[in-house]
Structure formats: structure tokens, C-alpha cells
Amino acid sequence: MAKGGGLFNLSKFDVVVVGAGPSGSTAAYLLAKAGFKVLLLERGRGAGSKLLWGGKAYAEPLRKVWPELDKEAPIHRWVTKERISIVWGERALTLEYKLGRKVAFTSPLPELAGWMAKKAESAGALLLDEVPVDEIVVKEGRAVGVRSGNDFVSADVVIDAEGANRILLEKLGLADRPSPYDMALGVKEVLSLDPRLIEERFGLERDEGLSWLILGDITAGIPGGGFVYTMRETIGIGLVLNIGHAAVAAEKGILRDHVSRLVEGLRTHPYFRNYWREADVIEYGGRMTIEGGLRFVPKRLYSNGLLVVGDAAGMLVNTGYTIRGVDTAVTSARLAAEAIIEARDRGGFTEENLRAYEEKVRESYIYRDLVEHSGIAEIFDDPFFFSKVPSLATRAASKLFEADYGEPSLLEAIKRSAEEEEISLLRLMLKVGRVVRRI
Amino acid sequence: MSQAPSRLKVMKLEELLRRDVWDVDEERHIEVLKQEGLPLKALQLLCPMGCYSMAGERLLMSYEGCVECGTCRVLSKPEQIRWEFPRSGRGIQYRYT
Ligand SMILES: Cc1cc2nc3c(=O)[nH]c(=O)nc-3n(C[C@H](O)[C@H](O)[C@H](O)COP(=O)(O)OP(=O)(O)OC[C@H]3O[C@@H](n4cnc5c(N)ncnc54)[C@H](O)[C@@H]3O)c2cc1C
Ligand code: SF4
């Protein structure tokens, strides 16, 4: 903790990283390991104390930075089952996939980010928490350090890893305040439950976990969805809602309940509640994420003495059915660290030398995914998918499975349901075809 | 049909908030500057912590329960709401999220 300027003003660092989230800690770790003098600044009390997510991280991109990940990281459960449900009223249609290998794991983000920050510290980076950076200081077109209150610390390179709420980048004029349609609000409850009950109810082994995505009327028709993630002895449940659409629904009176009521609706839903009927709610909260895809990526990820990584750089892939922000944050930070190491070897952190970072990002899987899924935003903009499609699917399923007399065929069931919902089958097929191609 | 256990009764927001830990800054970090043009219903229903409410015609903002999510920030313009982070380390202290 820096009070009154002493520590700050004495020293100069090679690199100052703003934000000890997954991206900031990754950059700090790799650069400290490469011999740089690194300062990692975090506004919260301890790394991770401001973070909330759904709950699963893809492991391979993290192993590239920490080969010891599987042994050391706070991995709660390896995801071995993926479920997708469409819910309409009391009805639900579910698809389950059993994975063949360990691809992603669950962990609370405060814990996972805490571990990453510890790795940065053990590599020699200096982590100071409770330090909110007020400004990235630019002099003569070059980032020269950061200011927090009356303290200034200078550095050869500043890495902006402040996350999706990118106030510093906006102050610098490198990003605009985002449109509410490009952002989503996640609201989450943490339920505590005996691990044995978690394993019994979901049919899991001791270190196995489940990741469950939910579409349908649990979002009150607002573009978005729900999630359930099993951790070691907790279950995270919640909703992600597009802020622009949710605001319009609220103003028009379509959304009448507070968002917490929607999450409570999920927790107490007849289809879900018996998985956690004894569970206590031990925490509740919200955090914002990115839905704008490429639109949220700043025009440039680098300038003289400055690199932007992770959520702040829009390095998050939101496919509509899953959010991948942590592995992409870690990867973008790794590429930034590589570019900085190369720039040092080439004699300086000029714009010219730092440009390699952006080129690396463009060649990476993140950029490819961002481009591929950028059309998803269009789907979010189409409420058709969040009201008509789920109700049609569950209606068709009810025709199949709730037939007291006679056995309708699947096609027949879909056709009849479409008629009742007044949806043209052709329009439906065109739209679904478009989505499938995008996804 | 069996009754849902009491744990499965819908909880009010106030009850949910009791599960959380804050270190509240004495200084207000979010402030309504100009109410005109703000989406009043959206702020009341979407702020996950219920920080916005109406007192008659007037929009009230109680910053104490804020989790710094930024939703009210993207729903407003700088001249409508002053939005800052709490000072050093204060505010929400997430543990299991
Ligand atoms: C509801 C929800 C569900 C999600 N689910 C998933 C999921 O299942 N899987 C997945 O991979 N991703 C998920 N994500 C996305 C993921 O959480 C983010 O992409 C990831 O955390 C980004 O890492 P980051 O380091 O770039 O930014 P952040 O994690 O946001 O970290 C930024 C850090 O900087 C600090 N900071 C900010 N401003 C300042 C300042 N001025 N001074 C000092 N410190 C500052 C913050 O306190 C924070 O610690 C989800 C996100 C949300 C909101
Ligand atoms: S930042 Fe989020 S939690 Fe805080 S007042 Fe605004 S909407 Fe509510």
C-alpha cells in the first residue's frame, strides 16, 4: 500500500501493470521472469476481490504460461459434463455432452486470480494492492508512468489491464464509453452444498464438474441466458443480460422485476431447485462483461510506451452460448509480454517496436474467434431467438412427450408448434441456418 | 406435490445483500448529477444491488451496496452520473464469486 508518495516516488520501474486480474498478473509474471523490474497495481484489497465470473477456464492457453497449472492452480473441478437447456415455464429441454478429456476447469475467480497474482509475485514482480490508478500519464506522446492520488511512478512501459470497465483508456481518448448494447450484466448467486451431494446429484466423480447453460424465459425475454457451474463445495448460478435490451424492456414495462428476482427465479425453478434444495446462498453480486465483439476492440492495442491487454483490449470471445475471457486475457497478456521482451532486445519500447503485439494478436486464435463470432452481436440484437425459438422448441417437445393419444413425428411436432406460434418454418430455418453458420 | 423447503422460497434483495461483505468508503463514489434523461426504471431494476430508488419524483442513489459493476455508468452520460471507483481497497470484497 502506498501512502503519501514515499515508495512510489523513489523508484522507477521497467514496467507498470494496471490491474491484477488474469491479464495483468500474466503480463507481470512473464516480464518479471524475463528480468524486468515490474510493478503490479491493483485497486482492490488483494487480487481478485473485485472479480466475479460464471466459472470455467480453458486450461491449455493457461498451461502455456504455467506448465505447472494442473498441480498448483486452485482447480475446483474439471468440466466433464456440458449441458444446455431450453426452458419455458415449467417445461425444459436438455442436451448433455460427456467430454472425453480435461479441457476446462471451474474455480471461483477471486481464488484463481489470487493464485495468478501470487505467481507474479514469486517471479519477482512487486504487487501493491489498494492502489487505484487515476491516470496513465502521457508526456510528449509517450506513456511515462501512472498516477494514483498524489503519487506518481514512472516506467518505460505501461500495461493497461484494467478490465472491461476501462475508465483509464477512455480518459486517454483511446476508447469511447461503450454502448449498453455492447455490454452485458452478469448477476450471480453462490450456493454452498456438501461436495458429496454435488457429485451425487449431477452424477460426477470427486474432481469432476458440470457446466450448464440455460436459454429461455428465465431471462424474461431479454437477450441473454443463465448458467450453473459446480465448484468444489459451491454452485454458482446466474444470468447474463444484454444491458441495452434489458434497459429498454425495463423502460417499456416489459421487465417489471428487479434482476435479483430473475436469479431467484432460476434458483427456485421447479426444474432446477432440487439439485441444490439444501443449499444456502452465501454470496450475491454482479459484474459487467463484453458483448460487442470486435466493436469493443480499440482501434490500436499499442502506442508509445503503452500496451492494452485482456478485457480492456476487448480480448473476450462471447459466442452467445459461452464466454471465454480468462484464457483469452492470459493469451493476450502473454503476447504482449513477448512483444515487450523483443522490443527490449531491439533497443526500445517505441511504437514501432511494440507494434509486434498487435500483429501477434491478429495471428492468434483470439482474433480469429473474434472475427468469426462478431455476427453473434446481430443475433443478440434479434429478440426472436430469446423468445420465439425457446418457446417453439419446448412446445414441440411437449407435443412429442406429452401426447396422451397417438405418437406425432418430430417434424410433425415442429410444424404444428410453428403454426401455433405463428412462425413461418421457412423464416425459422433461414434464421437458424444463419446462426449455425456463425457459431 | 410436496412443498418446497423454506430455503427454496424466493428471497428479497435485502436478504441476498446480507450475504455480502463490503468495506464502505465514507466518501461517496457515485453521484447523480442530473436526473433529466436518465432511464429511471432501468436503473432501479438493473442495478444488481438496488442502489437506485425513487423518493417521489426524485432519484435516490445509495452507494453503500454498490459492487462497482459499471452498469449505471454505461446507462448514463458523464454529466448525468459522476462515477468513480471507491478509494483504496474499499467497496465490495468478493470471496467465492
Ligand atoms: C458474469 C460473467 C461471467 C463470465 N464467465 C466467464 C467464464 O465462465 N469463463 C471465462 O473464461 N470468462 C468469463 N468471464 C470473463 C472473464 O471474467 C474476464 O474476461 C476476465 O476476468 C478478464 O481478465 P482481465 O485481467 O483482462 O480483467 P479483469 O479480470 O476485469 O481484471 C481487472 C483488474 O484491474 C483492477 N483495476 C481496474 N481498474 C483499476 C485501476 N484504475 N487501478 C488499479 N486497478 C484497477 C480490477 O480491480 C481488477 O482486479 C465472465 C465475466 C462475467 C462478468
Ligand atoms: S456500478 Fe453497478 S452496483 Fe454500483 S450503483 Fe452502478 S449499477 Fe449499481
Side-chain angles (χ1 to χ4, degrees):
Chain A
M1 281 146 276
K3 298 266 150 57
L7 177 63
F8 258 39
N9 293 335
L10 276 177
S11 22
K12 175 177 180 298
F13 287 83
D14 297 329
V15 182
V16 172
V17 183
V18 183
S23 64
S25 290
T26 302
Y29 170 77
L30 289 172
L31 290 169
K33 220 175 101 185
F36 287 83
K37 195 175 164 203
V38 180
L39 176 63
L40 176 58
L41 296 175
E42 167 57 44
R43 71 183 181 87
R45 186 166 302 158
S49 63
K50 300 295 181 185
L51 301 181
L52 172 154
W53 71 335
K56 81 167 176 225
Y58 286 82
E60 199 46 37
L62 275 58
R63 286 191 197 111
K64 275 215 151 137
V65 178
W66 301 287
E68 66 277 25
L69 182 93
D70 294 34
K71 274 203 198 104
E72 280 187 22
I75 292 168
H76 278 209
R77 293 175 183 276
W78 286 100
V79 175
T80 53
K81 284 185 181 175
E82 293 271 2
R83 272 188 201 166
I84 301 177
S85 287
I86 298 175
V87 176
W88 208 255
E90 291 220 351
R91 297 189 161 87
L93 183 66
T94 296
L95 181 76
E96 181 172 303
Y97 177 71
K98 170 76 172 67
L99 280 81
R101 58 191 184 94
K102 293 175 169 180
V103 181
F105 64 89
T106 65
S107 181
L109 195 50
E111 201 179 330
L112 183 60
W115 177 78
M116 292 175 176
K118 279 250 152 55
K119 292 304 280 187
E121 277 187 291
S122 66
L126 177 60
L127 167 68
L128 291 179
D129 66 346
E130 303 195 40
V131 181
V133 170
D134 297 317
E135 187 190 359
I136 293 171
V137 181
V138 175
K139 274 199 186 122
E140 289 156 11
R142 153 169 206 95
V144 293
V146 301
R147 183 179 64 76
S148 172
N150 296 322
D151 293 325
F152 171 76
V153 59
S154 74
D156 292 332
V157 187
V158 177
I159 297 182
D160 184 346
E162 64 183 317
N165 218 347
R166 50 189 184 186
I167 293 174
L168 300 175
L169 212 58
E170 287 180 27
K171 268 190 196 160
L172 282 179
L174 295 177
D176 296 325
R177 184 173 288 215
S179 151
Y181 290 98
D182 285 346
M183 307 305 285
L185 168 65
V187 188
K188 178 178 180 181
E189 287 179 8
V190 181
L191 315 177
S192 86
L193 192 63
D194 184 333
R196 273 172 314 186
L197 285 179
I198 294 180
E199 286 141 27
E200 255 173 54
R201 301 245 166 104
F202 294 102
L204 302 165
E205 299 292 332
R206 244 183 61 165
D207 66 339
E208 290 184 348
L210 168 120
S211 152
W212 197 347
L213 289 155
I214 303 149
L215 295 172
D217 61 357
I218 50 161
T219 63
I222 296 163
F227 61 80
V228 173
Y229 289 100
T230 59
M231 309 281 164
R232 193 178 294 121
E233 43 202 39
T234 60
I235 302 177
I237 68 169
L239 298 174
V240 178
L241 306 170
N242 180 281
I243 295 176
H245 285 288
V248 170
E251 292 303 313
K252 282 190 179 158
I254 298 165
L255 174 70
R256 290 210 193 85
D257 294 315
H258 185 257
V259 285
S260 64
R261 181 67 189 67
L262 297 184
V263 184
E264 276 293 282
L266 173 61
R267 189 178 67 86
T268 59
H269 192 286
Y271 183 62
F272 298 99
R273 66 184 180 205
N274 286 311
Y275 286 103
W276 47 70
R277 55 192 296 129
E278 304 84 355
D280 285 313
V281 179
I282 55 167
E283 203 164 16
Y284 167 81
R287 182 160 162 255
M288 205 165 60
T289 189
I290 304 161
E291 225 154 60
L294 273 180
R295 274 204 301 264
F296 195 80
V297 178
K299 269 192 202 72
R300 290 171 58 189
L301 302 181
Y302 66 96
S303 63
N304 248 329
L306 177 72
L307 291 180
V308 191
V309 297
D311 271 9
M315 297 292 114
L316 176 144
V317 181
N318 191 332
T319 57
Y321 56 90
T322 188
I323 300 175
R324 286 184 76 153
V326 164
D327 66 290
T328 50
V330 166
T331 300
S332 70
R334 175 171 60 79
L335 298 176
E338 282 174 9
I340 288 171
I341 294 167
E342 287 165 21
R344 171 183 65 184
D345 299 342
R346 265 192 273 138
F349 308 105
T350 57
E351 209 161 68
E352 197 45 34
N353 283 346
L354 292 177
R355 189 168 65 204
Y357 167 49
E358 198 166 298
E359 283 157 14
K360 286 170 192 287
V361 166
R362 277 179 195 278
E363 284 160 18
S364 74
Y365 75 96
I366 312 174
Y367 201 75
R368 200 189 57 221
D369 284 356
L370 271 172
V371 172
E372 252 170 45
H373 296 296
S374 61
I376 285 296
E378 227 177 88
I379 296 161
F380 283 130
D381 288 347
D382 190 350
F384 184 81
F385 278 97
F386 294 91
S387 49
K388 285 287 179 187
V389 170
S391 73
L392 177 78
T394 42
R395 190 187 281 269
S398 83
K399 291 213 184 305
L400 266 186
F401 300 116
E402 297 181 31
D404 290 327
Y405 300 102
E407 244 346 90
S409 72
L410 178 61
L411 187 67
E412 189 65 19
I414 294 175
K415 248 173 48 201
R416 262 195 268 151
S417 311
E419 271 162 33
E420 283 168 34
E421 295 271 331
E422 294 177 354
I423 304 171
S424 117
L425 265 192
L426 184 65
R427 177 160 174 248
L428 181 74
M429 274 154 64
L430 283 174
K431 289 216 171 201
V432 171
R434 226 175 56 206
V435 176
V436 170
R437 251 180 291 130
R438 288 250 163 70
I439 288 173
Chain B
M1 274 236 191
S2 66
Q3 276 274 302
S6 63
R7 282 201 178 84
L8 289 177
K9 295 248 160 70
V10 169
M11 288 200 277
K12 290 210 171 80
L13 177 60
E14 298 83 81
E15 276 179 86
L16 291 169
L17 298 186
R18 257 182 258 135
R19 269 72 184 170
D20 290 338
V21 178
W22 287 267
D23 179 4
V24 176
D25 193 349
E26 332 50 86
E27 241 173 62
R28 165 179 284 283
H29 66 283
I30 297 178
E31 188 179 8
V32 177
L33 303 172
K34 193 171 131 238
Q35 184 175 325
E36 206 188 312
L38 281 174
L40 299 178
K41 285 196 190 128
L43 289 171
Q44 291 173 76
L45 296 180
L46 296 185
C47 165
M49 312 314 276
C51 294
Y52 290 90
S53 59
M54 296 302 290
E57 299 280 280
R58 216 163 74 83
L59 180 67
L60 292 184
M61 196 282 155
S62 37
Y63 72 96
E64 291 84 354
C66 172
V67 289
E68 308 137 40
C69 71
T71 299
C72 59
R73 186 171 183 270
V74 302
L75 285 174
S76 62
K77 299 195 177 82
E79 62 272 20
Q80 292 172 313
I81 292 176
R82 175 178 72 83
W83 200 101
E84 273 153 37
F85 287 125
R87 292 176 304 166
S88 42
R90 304 298 181 85
I92 187 70
Q93 313 288 331
Y94 281 137
R95 298 153 298 153
Y96 313 109
T97 49

